[in-house]
Amino acid sequence: MSQQLSVIGTGVIGNGWIARALARGWDVVAFDPDPEAPARTRAFVAGAWASLERLGLAAGASPERLTFVDSLETAVAGADLIQENVPERLPLKQEILAAIDGVAEEQVVIGSSTSGFKPSDLQQDCPRAPGRVIVAHPFNPVYLLPLVELVGGATTEPAQIERARELYQALEMRPLVVRREIEGHIADRLMEALWREALHLVNDGVATTEEVDAAVVYGCGLRWSLMGTFLTFHLAGGEQGMRHMLEQFGPALKLPWTKLEAPELTDTLIDRVVEGCEHQAAGRPVAELDRRRDDFLVELLDLVQKYWPEAEGLEGRI
């Protein structure tokens, strides 16, 4: 029996969810008030399909299993999972989630793609079944990157998170259940720390955008693809591992090497960042860069799976 993903809001993230679900053989019902949304989404799916084919399609997978409807109530009828992807404004998300909660079957999980808001804030105007409104934060491109952060709020029961975990696993995601709610969740807080430091380096004239990116691509980024932050530093301690690394390099953490607050986004800094990125793009349109990124990610995902097969069971341990 096929499963149905109902997608509310079809920007880049919403379309990413649509492409992933279609590739996994799900039916997708989408709602977006923009009259241009259906054409935009179908073009997006067509552009992503070659990469999804290389990863491997589920039986019955087809772009033709996408249906656009003209009302929220119709969109969520028959849903096994609902994914909200409206713009990142809390009052708007609260309004849309309350409307979804009012018309969706009470047992259906409602995931919000928010990158920063806490689920308790998202739930507050949902009186029918607030606990099933959770954060389900993916990463762009959603149709390729498998991580989804799941965060329950004040009224969420463990069984609701477990149900959500099973559903996202069925979409071949790797759910990371966040132990307690916090703004920005886990991955975005880590990325924001690096982003703030990168902006300081450009602002202070230490490096260009291209040089900062090269430092990540050819240095820490290669290791992080396999081991992440902690295991990378564990190896830095030699045979004694993390304990020796902390004894040796831990005191340096107190040195003022990094800056916790972002620099002021002055016109000068904005120009440096924009001009640097345009130089790196070298006149290539974003669509071409998207394809290059997707080709790389497909190959990289195969490589990560080859060297970290134990990650198959990771979802059950976190």
Side-chain angles (χ1 to χ4, degrees):
M1 181 177 176
S2 63
Q3 292 181 287
Q4 176 185 314
L5 175 68
S6 293
V7 174
I8 310 303
T10 59
V12 172
I13 299 301
N15 284 339
W17 280 115
I18 289 171
R20 173 174 282 274
L22 292 171
R24 300 319 332 137
W26 286 41
D27 294 315
V28 178
V29 179
F31 170 71
D32 191 307
D34 184 351
E36 304 297 322
R40 186 175 60 238
T41 295
R42 295 187 192 282
F44 182 100
V45 171
W49 206 252
S51 295
L52 290 164
E53 286 179 321
R54 288 177 60 194
L55 281 178
L57 300 175
S62 171
E64 300 306 313
R65 297 180 72 167
L66 167 64
T67 302
F68 266 84
V69 296
D70 58 8
S71 75
L72 197 65
E73 186 170 7
T74 306
V76 302
D80 294 286
L81 176 64
I82 300 168
Q83 193 72 29
E84 169 273 310
N85 316 278
V86 302
E88 195 80 347
R89 298 194 296 272
L90 183 57
L92 175 61
K93 283 192 175 286
Q94 289 172 329
E95 176 186 349
I96 298 301
L97 288 167
I100 296 171
D101 177 61
V103 294
E105 294 293 330
E106 292 189 16
Q107 78 281 2
V108 179
V109 171
I110 304 170
S112 173
S113 295
T114 179
S115 60
F117 298 132
K118 295 194 293 186
S120 291
D121 294 331
L122 300 174
Q123 296 172 349
Q124 70 177 30
D125 295 330
C126 301
R128 275 185 80 223
R132 48 76 175 268
V133 177
I134 66 169
V135 166
H137 174 228
F139 296 82
N140 187 44
V142 182
Y143 54 91
L144 294 181
L145 294 184
L147 182 65
V148 58
E149 295 176 316
L150 302 182
V151 196
T155 61
T156 303
E157 298 292 334
Q160 291 169 313
I161 287 292
E162 177 60 22
R163 173 61 177 155
R165 191 178 66 83
E166 292 171 354
L167 287 163
Y168 288 104
Q169 281 183 316
L171 287 169
E172 294 202 357
M173 303 294 284
R174 293 195 181 277
L176 171 58
V177 178
V178 180
R179 295 174 182 270
R180 65 182 183 88
E181 57 182 324
I182 185 174
E183 293 90 346
H185 324 312
I186 296 174
D188 270 7
R189 294 178 74 94
L190 296 172
M191 290 190 293
E192 284 291 332
L194 180 60
W195 175 230
R196 286 192 298 269
E197 193 62 27
L199 288 174
H200 276 293
L201 291 171
V202 173
N203 190 54
D204 295 345
V206 175
T208 65
T209 62
E210 187 171 19
E211 290 162 351
V212 170
D213 284 354
V216 174
V217 169
Y218 296 108
C220 55
L222 288 172
R223 299 180 300 186
W224 286 345
S225 293
L226 177 64
M227 295 184 176
T229 304
F230 282 100
L231 196 56
T232 292
F233 280 130
H234 178 65
L235 269 62
E239 290 299 321
Q240 298 176 60
M242 179 61 81
R243 187 170 299 279
H244 179 66
M245 196 286 296
L246 290 174
E247 291 171 352
Q248 188 79 4
F249 301 106
L253 293 172
K254 295 292 186 180
L255 297 176
W257 286 356
T258 58
K259 303 178 182 182
L260 295 177
E261 296 198 10
E264 190 72 28
L265 283 178
T266 62
D267 290 342
T268 299
L269 176 55
I270 290 171
D271 288 344
R272 285 182 184 176
V273 171
V274 171
E275 289 166 9
C277 290
E278 289 175 348
H279 172 74
Q280 289 177 258
R284 292 170 292 185
V286 170
E288 180 182 337
L289 296 174
D290 278 343
R291 288 192 297 273
R292 181 170 178 262
R293 175 204 62 196
D294 288 0
D295 289 344
F296 173 79
L297 287 175
V298 168
E299 294 185 34
L300 183 61
L301 285 167
D302 286 340
L303 193 61
V304 170
Q305 179 58 39
K306 175 182 177 180
Y307 284 92
W308 199 18
E310 63 268 29
E312 285 294 338
L314 188 61
E315 297 90 342
R317 300 199 299 271
I318 55 178

